[in-house]
Amino acid sequence: MTTTIRTPAARPARAARPPRAPKRRGGRRQWIAWLFIAPFGVVFLAFLVAPLVYAFGLSLFTQKLATGNAFVGLANYAQAFTDPLFLGGVLFVLLFSLVLIPVQMVVSLAAALVLDSLTTKLANFSRLMIFVPYAVPAVIGALMWGFLYSPQFGPLTQFFALFHQTAPNILDSHNVFGGLINVVNWQWAGYYMIIIYAALRGIDSSIYEAAEIDGANAWQIAVRVKVPMVASALVLILVFALIGTFQFFTEPTILTPASNGAITPSYTPNIYAYTQAFSYTQFNYASALSFALGAVVFIAVYIFLFATRKKGRIL
Amino acid sequence: MILIVYFLLPLWWLLVASTKNSHGLFSGTGGALWFDKTFALFSNISQLATYDNGIYFRWLANSFLYALTGGVGATLLAVLAGYGFAKFNFRGRRISLALLLGSVMVPLTALVIPTFLLLAQVHLINTTWSVILPSLLSPFGVYLMQVYATDAVPTELLDAARVDGAGELRTFVQVALPLLRPAVVTVLLLSIVATWNNYFLPLTVLSSEKLYPVTVGLGQWQSLANSNGATQTPLFPLIVAGSLLSIIPLVVSFLLLQRYWQGGLSVGSLK
């Protein structure tokens, strides 16, 4: 699959793969393969490689009022990694993923396991309903929850009034963390649930029969058989969630006006980079922040995948 | 089930709230989760059509334009490239695939500001293209397609078609493409949703209100409504009704196409 056709010495390495018809028109095929890939390749170069290279270039300079652009090497990065506002944002997304990911895993795994044990039309319907929030734009999701959290017109005021209590303001600085966790969980748990559910469906049911004969009850089957067998799906979800949290931008931005300052212009690294670029026109510094953020996520995910490689190859 | 209530409650609220006028939203009878005595859905919609010269429907049209061109384009590129990676043996394949997998892990929003700066260099900022072109990039789509095509399209079948004298393009269109349909629908839906829901990119590259997609437009209204001071503003009912209208197309397309995408979505996890 991966070796070139003209090197017979490399053939034994392919023995494990399904047999292929020999390719005699190798040269022409090579050319055709590139034709299939070229359109994507152009976009890839233009909107992934070029922006990264350009941003890295910009990040090495700084704009001086008197002298124009000056080369400063890695000074912007040194500034970023000693900037309390940037580090605060990074710490926030770290804490956020530490709380969010377990919550999301439990909710989506529980939903998938319950749905997997039902086989009725109801299960089909429930699955779709749980998935629906994924189709809702993050902006709308954040708007809706913002309204629901609002002490002015949300249902919380009424609910707490039943017990003669005043409702907590979810958007103040004490509660906004949990409020955001809830918004993101609501938005994505259904998508993750579908991925786990599909993996559960892929398990051969004779395994369950074997476990039953061995005396396992439904709960034991779920925890000891089903969960380990969908481990690779769980790893995939974890990676998605990790990448997603580090780029956190939309939900906090939408909730900012209603939060009375609880969400600051440096709340997450992305918001901070945006603020630097568009409020202070510090494009060089913003480039450094974006590039540093991308690199940190990339390295973190790579290390994570490497560490979990034994549990299942996902990418 | 509690879970269903949790997932549907906000949508139920949205449905109910969009039938209320300003007064009903803040101090109507029946509370936040039930209908008010005045039913204002249609007056809300007609206000949407006239407020600020009906800019809301322009935003909605923009969203359609961006999502369709960006989503269809990204899918087309992903199908071609995924098939190319899966079914051809060529020099540089291994390194290209490694590059592709690496790029799946690059967070796309980390690219937004660099992309903005690059587009500014070529004077494409604040044009339709500044939203559509970056939306064509979908490394994950290519990856999904490659995984799916490797298993779903038997190489023997392609070779048989070639022996019968079909050209590469014809083999692809008539033999491979029908087998790829579930993955195509999945990637299409995912990329349309991604473009429709995108907020950071259009917020950054667009400055003219007329080019906004509905996400950015509603976001602007929200901050406007909050800064105007709560109760008098007529904007809140418009935001709510506008939110409802904007999610209908996506929710409906997901429900209609569920047969196709549910199979395809699992591809990444089963491998």
Side-chain angles (χ1 to χ4, degrees):
Chain A
M1 246 164 118
T2 50
T3 47
T4 51
I5 307 111
R6 269 165 262 161
T7 48
R11 277 283 169 85
R14 294 168 54 194
R17 300 192 178 99
R20 250 160 216 282
K23 286 167 185 158
R24 292 188 196 84
R25 295 181 298 161
R28 213 170 79 81
R29 281 285 178 78
Q30 296 233 339
W31 188 71
I32 290 163
W34 281 113
L35 277 187
F36 275 105
I37 294 166
F40 173 76
V42 170
V43 173
F44 184 83
L45 287 177
F47 292 102
L48 193 121
V49 178
L52 283 180
V53 170
Y54 184 62
F56 183 68
L58 275 180
S59 72
L60 301 178
F61 287 84
T62 190
Q63 191 89 39
K64 292 262 169 55
L65 264 182
T67 51
N69 269 341
F71 182 80
V72 290
L74 296 176
N76 282 325
Y77 292 93
Q79 189 190 340
F81 286 105
T82 52
D83 183 340
L85 291 175
F86 178 65
L87 293 178
V90 172
L91 188 68
F92 167 80
V93 290
L94 273 177
L95 282 177
F96 198 80
S97 39
L98 276 180
V99 178
L100 175 73
I101 291 174
V103 169
Q104 246 174 358
M105 294 283 233
V106 169
V107 172
S108 53
L109 187 61
L113 285 171
V114 170
L115 289 178
D116 187 50
S117 64
L118 304 170
T119 43
T120 51
K121 279 247 178 242
L122 181 74
N124 231 330
F125 172 77
S126 315
R127 200 169 70 242
L128 274 176
M129 291 305 109
I130 295 176
F131 181 73
V132 158
Y134 173 72
V136 174
V139 168
I140 311 290
L143 280 174
M144 284 195 294
W145 281 104
F147 280 113
L148 284 170
Y149 291 158
S150 158
Q152 285 167 311
F153 32 42
L156 282 173
T157 312
Q158 279 175 297
F159 181 76
F160 278 86
L162 289 179
F163 309 98
H164 305 288
Q165 305 276 320
T166 37
N169 180 5
I170 299 190
L171 292 172
D172 72 13
S173 49
H174 299 291
N175 298 322
V176 73
F177 187 88
L180 285 168
I181 293 267
N182 178 49
V183 178
V184 179
N185 181 53
W186 178 82
Q187 191 108 52
W188 286 91
Y191 179 72
Y192 297 153
M193 180 271 294
I194 293 274
I195 294 180
I196 300 175
Y197 178 81
L200 283 172
R201 291 272 110 174
I203 300 175
D204 188 347
S205 62
S206 63
I207 294 173
Y208 303 149
E209 284 159 28
E212 265 171 46
I213 292 167
D214 288 345
N217 60 31
W219 171 257
Q220 283 169 325
I221 290 180
V223 175
R224 302 256 180 88
V225 181
K226 290 184 176 178
V227 173
M229 295 207 60
V230 297
S232 66
L234 295 178
V235 171
L236 180 82
I237 292 170
L238 223 152
V239 170
F240 280 175
L242 207 61
I243 297 176
T245 326
F246 271 84
Q247 4 184 12
F248 208 29
F249 179 82
T250 305
E251 291 88 349
T253 307
I254 292 295
L255 290 174
T256 298
S259 78
N260 275 325
I263 297 172
T264 61
S266 60
Y267 202 63
T268 74
N270 251 336
I271 297 182
Y272 188 49
Y274 183 82
T275 309
Q276 285 294 333
F278 296 102
S279 302
Y280 302 114
T281 58
Q282 296 291 324
F283 290 112
N284 299 88
Y285 191 44
S287 300
L289 292 175
S290 293
F291 198 84
L293 178 67
V296 166
V297 177
F298 184 82
I299 292 165
V301 170
Y302 230 93
I303 290 173
F304 176 79
L305 282 181
F306 190 75
T308 55
R309 206 170 40 163
K310 280 175 196 145
K311 293 200 174 133
R313 234 168 51 84
I314 65 134
L315 285 174
Chain B
M1 258 196 308
I2 304 166
L3 277 175
I4 297 191
V5 173
Y6 169 63
F7 284 104
L8 287 187
L9 187 80
L11 295 170
W12 169 252
W13 173 84
L14 186 67
L15 196 67
V16 169
S18 63
T19 67
K20 297 176 181 174
N21 55 25
S22 233
H23 179 262
L25 267 183
F26 285 94
S27 47
T29 53
L33 293 176
W34 198 248
F35 298 96
D36 190 34
K37 57 183 186 298
T38 51
F39 186 84
L41 176 63
F42 298 111
S43 83
N44 283 342
I45 291 177
S46 68
Q47 271 188 64
L48 267 182
T50 52
Y51 185 83
D52 202 1
N53 293 322
I55 190 124
Y56 174 80
F57 285 95
R58 194 176 172 129
W59 292 340
L60 212 53
N62 289 339
S63 277
F64 270 105
L65 173 71
Y66 300 148
L68 285 179
T69 50
V72 171
T75 308
L76 194 72
L77 301 183
V79 176
L80 288 173
Y83 174 77
F85 277 121
K87 290 297 156 192
F88 288 91
N89 220 332
F90 56 93
R91 198 176 296 162
R93 182 178 180 277
R94 186 195 278 265
I95 183 131
S96 311
L97 262 182
L99 213 62
L100 176 73
L101 289 190
S103 67
V104 169
M105 280 170 258
V106 173
L108 287 186
T109 57
L111 283 175
V112 166
I113 290 176
T115 302
F116 165 84
L117 296 169
L118 197 73
L119 288 172
Q121 284 297 309
V122 291
H123 303 291
L124 277 177
I125 285 304
N126 200 29
T127 63
T128 318
W129 294 111
S130 61
V131 180
I132 294 175
L133 291 178
S135 304
L136 295 177
L137 177 73
S138 170
F140 186 66
V142 178
Y143 163 72
L144 267 185
M145 202 54 77
Q146 182 253 327
V147 172
Y148 194 86
T150 303
D151 294 337
V153 183
T155 308
E156 293 76 16
L157 205 62
L158 297 180
D159 285 332
R162 286 167 188 147
V163 168
D164 287 347
E168 287 298 335
L169 192 65
R170 200 162 156 213
T171 308
F172 168 69
V173 173
Q174 294 193 341
V175 180
L177 209 52
L179 294 168
L180 290 172
R181 193 184 297 143
V184 173
V185 174
T186 309
V187 172
L188 185 65
L189 269 177
L190 290 180
S191 39
I192 286 181
V193 170
T195 320
W196 182 282
N197 292 357
N198 203 346
Y199 174 72
F200 196 10
L201 175 75
L203 176 73
T204 306
V205 298
L206 299 177
S207 53
S208 157
E209 211 181 44
K210 287 192 171 132
L211 292 175
Y212 284 169
V214 75
T215 48
V216 178
L218 287 173
Q220 302 292 89
W221 273 3
Q222 166 76 353
S223 59
L224 202 65
N226 274 290
S227 63
N228 279 358
T231 42
Q232 312 90 326
T233 171
L235 266 179
F236 282 116
L238 292 186
I239 294 172
V240 175
S243 300
L244 180 71
L245 285 189
S246 77
I247 66 172
I248 290 173
L250 281 190
V251 170
V252 167
S253 55
F254 260 105
L255 296 182
L256 287 181
L257 292 169
Q258 51 147 323
R259 271 192 312 138
Y260 297 101
W261 58 259
Q262 286 193 343
L265 210 59
S266 57
V267 168
S269 61
L270 291 177
K271 176 77 183 191

